[in-house]
């Protein structure tokens, strides 16, 4: 009976040690989980910030493209005005020269 009681006590000590080790492992895993959750939250926050920055940059790009298109239109209009003036100027001078000789 004493041998059986000693064996039971040994098993109980072993179970307690296993439970303690398991509890320590669980605590460690919970800490790891919390750390990874914090990392994920940080990355999600950064991703959201980056997405917002991308939207802002895309909007600025569209604005600058519109400005560039407007500038190109203005330059083309100016070129056409200059071409018209040159045509009017050369038309007046060619008419005067033809009348003298």
């Amino acid at each position: 009976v004493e041998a059986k009681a000693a064996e039971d006590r040994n098993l109980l000590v072993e179970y307690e040690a296993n439970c303690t080790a398991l509890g320590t492992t669980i605590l460690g895993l919970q800490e790891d989980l919390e750390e990874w959750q914090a990392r994920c939250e940080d990355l999600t926050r950064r991703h959201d910030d980056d997405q917002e920055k991308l939207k802002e940059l895309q909007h600025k790009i569209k604005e600058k493209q519109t400005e560039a298109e407007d500038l190109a239109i203005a330059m083309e209009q100016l070129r056409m005005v200059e071409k018209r003036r040159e045509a009017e100027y050369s038309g007046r001078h060619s008419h005067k020269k033809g009348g003298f000789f």
Side-chain angles (χ1 to χ4, degrees), residues 56-66:
E56 289 173 14
L57 290 172
Q58 289 170 341
H59 181 71
K60 285 182 182 179
I61 287 170
K62 285 181 183 178
E63 284 179 349
K64 296 302 177 187
Q65 285 175 332
T66 300

Side-chain angles (χ1 to χ4, degrees), residues 21-80:
L22 189 56
T24 302
T25 301
I26 290 170
L27 288 175
L29 290 172
Q30 286 175 332
E31 289 172 2
D32 288 348
L33 177 64
E34 290 170 4
E35 181 183 325
W36 281 102
Q37 285 174 328
R39 285 183 184 181
C40 286
E41 288 170 6
D42 183 52
L43 290 173
T44 299
R45 207 170 16 260
R46 280 203 228 156
H47 175 73
D48 292 344
D49 291 346
D50 288 350
Q51 288 296 105
E52 186 62 33
K53 184 66 176 175
L54 281 173
K55 286 179 186 176
E56 289 173 14
L57 290 172
Q58 289 170 341
H59 181 71
K60 285 182 182 179
I61 287 170
K62 285 181 183 178
E63 284 179 349
K64 296 302 177 187
Q65 285 175 332
T66 300
E67 286 178 26
E69 289 169 0
D70 291 346
L71 183 58
I73 290 169
M75 290 172 61
E76 182 62 20
Q77 289 173 339
L78 182 60
R79 187 188 67 76
M80 292 172 66

